Amino acid sequence: MSSKNSVSHHSKSTNLLLPNRPRRLRRTPAMRRMVRETQLSVNDLIYPLFVMEGESHQQEIISMPGCYRYSGDLLLKEVENVFELGINAIALFPVIPEDKKDATATESYNPDGLVQRTVKAIRQAVPEIVVITDVALDPFSSHGHDGIVSEDGIILNDPTVDVLVKMALSQANAGADLVAPSDMMDGRVGAIRQALDAEGYVDVGILAYSAKYASAYYGPFRDALDSAPKFGDKKTYQMDSANAKEALKEIALDIAEGADVLMIKPALAYLDIIQQVRNATQLPVAAYNVSGEYAMIKAASQRGWIDEKSVILETLTSIKRAGADLILTYFAKDVALMLPGT
């Protein structure tokens, strides 16, 4: 029997001057879920994967614990697993042997190249998954830059675009659903769109790395592909991290040239850019939760400094809250297992 002296959460407050109490809607887990503004879903996730030559072999990437380079046969098993978890899309990145690299990245548009063979195999094994292919020269170039380099070390824009077009066409022919130019050369989205349409690939979309910053967060990714530039840096074509208005200019250009999805990369240090882009367009907005962001969480978790699951979910929710419709993340499999209904 309850006592008349017992106190419940419905008891009268001694402070009658607070009619608005936001804490009322935080009182229970069910209440918090009911009024939650941002809902992270497995449908928001794109899983980046690294493929290499060989068979029955995988290599863990030291600076990205839990991420691997896969030979083609093991990659197919990983793609099947990913799709079973409810992840709708993968983004494919190749590890190219040094003996197949040259100054003009000719291997990038080889119809029998690693990317092209892998896309065809995925199309056969898991036909319903969305396959996104990277369009950039750096994995294929002997110098590690995203463009053709002149004799005096200048990255040449228009000759690079010519190669990017060839690469995109070869990937579309192999069965890519979306080609993703990540190079930041001027005019490449329009040139690729025009070439795809002319060759009959009108249904192949372009996920444009529209605002890709020259960032220190890319280090582990370059370890994964062994694609760090052999000289200089990428600051003449990737964006200055201090610039926001320039991002909106790049976005407007890519929209005019025919992009279907707009990407901001990296994500966490550029949440303000994601929000500005979201407010400036009706197109889907993607953000890349890049390798450095992944590695920092993994490193802190391994040392017991943070709760990994909680930080992963908070991080990805922040990216979605800023305005991203899609998130490329190496945590995609982990998150798919964490979310309700998976």
Side-chain angles (χ1 to χ4, degrees):
M1 180 182 293
S2 63
S3 163
K4 35 191 221 182
N5 294 325
S6 64
V7 179
S8 76
H9 63 267
H10 295 296
S11 61
K12 291 182 179 180
S13 170
T14 58
N15 187 341
L16 301 178
L17 301 178
L18 293 174
N20 296 314
R21 291 180 179 266
R23 286 187 56 193
R24 292 180 185 125
L25 301 183
R26 303 176 194 147
R27 189 169 50 81
T28 67
M31 188 77 76
R32 292 192 295 273
R33 288 193 298 269
M34 188 174 70
V35 297
R36 187 163 290 153
E37 298 173 23
T38 303
Q39 301 283 349
L40 186 66
S41 162
V42 70
N43 292 325
D44 305 325
L45 307 177
I46 297 171
Y47 191 33
L49 284 169
F50 303 104
V51 64
M52 63 182 179
E53 298 283 5
E55 293 183 4
S56 303
H57 189 50
Q58 68 181 45
Q59 298 173 339
E60 187 170 26
I61 301 161
I62 301 302
S63 55
M64 298 175 67
C67 291
Y68 298 85
R69 305 179 187 96
Y70 295 97
S71 59
D73 54 338
L74 296 187
L75 183 102
L76 290 181
K77 293 181 180 179
E78 183 71 354
V79 172
E80 290 171 354
N81 182 30
V82 164
F83 193 62
E84 288 174 2
L85 288 173
I87 296 170
N88 294 308
I90 60 105
L92 191 62
F93 298 95
V95 183
I96 303 299
E98 286 296 324
D99 62 0
K100 291 190 176 181
K101 297 181 181 183
D102 60 30
T104 55
T106 53
E107 181 64 17
S108 67
Y109 51 89
N110 177 359
D112 296 315
L114 176 61
V115 172
Q116 291 79 0
R117 285 184 281 113
T118 302
V119 171
K120 290 175 183 177
I122 294 171
R123 285 269 71 92
Q124 289 292 318
V126 193
E128 294 180 349
I129 201 164
V130 175
V131 179
I132 303 168
T133 49
D134 184 52
V135 182
L137 272 58
D138 54 327
F140 304 91
S141 66
S142 52
H143 44 70
H145 275 285
D146 296 58
I148 305 296
V149 182
S150 70
E151 292 183 0
D152 54 354
I154 304 299
I155 309 300
L156 301 175
N157 193 93
D158 295 358
T160 298
V161 171
D162 292 339
V163 179
L164 296 172
V165 167
K166 293 178 183 178
M167 190 188 314
L169 286 172
S170 73
Q171 294 171 353
N173 185 60
D177 296 290
L178 292 163
V179 294
S182 62
D183 55 287
M184 288 301 287
M185 297 297 131
D186 294 336
R188 91 278 203 214
V189 170
I192 290 170
R193 182 74 271 158
Q194 184 176 11
L196 289 172
D197 290 353
E199 293 296 321
Y201 299 113
V202 295
D203 293 327
V204 174
I206 298 176
L207 189 162
Y209 287 61
S210 298
K212 181 178 180 179
Y213 286 84
S215 173
Y217 285 94
Y218 301 151
F221 180 90
R222 291 172 184 169
D223 292 343
L225 296 188
D226 191 22
S227 63
K230 300 294 192 296
F231 67 90
D233 55 40
K234 301 190 176 186
K235 293 182 178 179
T236 66
Y237 47 100
Q238 294 179 357
M239 288 179 55
D240 189 326
S241 62
N243 291 359
K245 288 182 286 187
E246 184 183 10
L248 297 181
K249 178 172 71 174
E250 290 280 7
I251 291 291
L253 288 169
D254 283 358
I255 292 172
E257 292 177 23
D260 298 284
V261 182
L262 307 167
M263 173 99 85
I264 295 89
K265 181 181 179 183
L268 281 182
Y270 300 88
L271 295 176
D272 60 320
I273 307 301
I274 296 171
Q275 186 175 55
Q276 289 183 54
V277 171
R278 172 69 286 154
N279 291 336
T281 180
Q282 297 300 311
L283 290 181
V285 175
Y288 203 140
N289 177 216
V290 296
S291 60
E293 298 165 358
Y294 174 90
M296 289 191 298
I297 291 175
K298 280 292 185 180
S301 173
Q302 289 177 348
R303 287 159 177 78
W305 295 342
I306 61 172
D307 179 279
E308 182 174 320
K309 176 179 177 180
S310 297
V311 170
I312 290 170
L313 291 175
E314 185 174 343
T315 296
L316 297 190
T317 299
S318 77
I319 296 169
K320 185 169 184 185
R321 188 183 67 241
D325 302 291
L326 302 168
I327 304 171
L328 280 80
T329 178
Y330 304 99
F331 291 120
K333 278 179 64 179
D334 296 332
V335 173
L337 292 168
M338 295 174 194
L339 294 176
T342 57

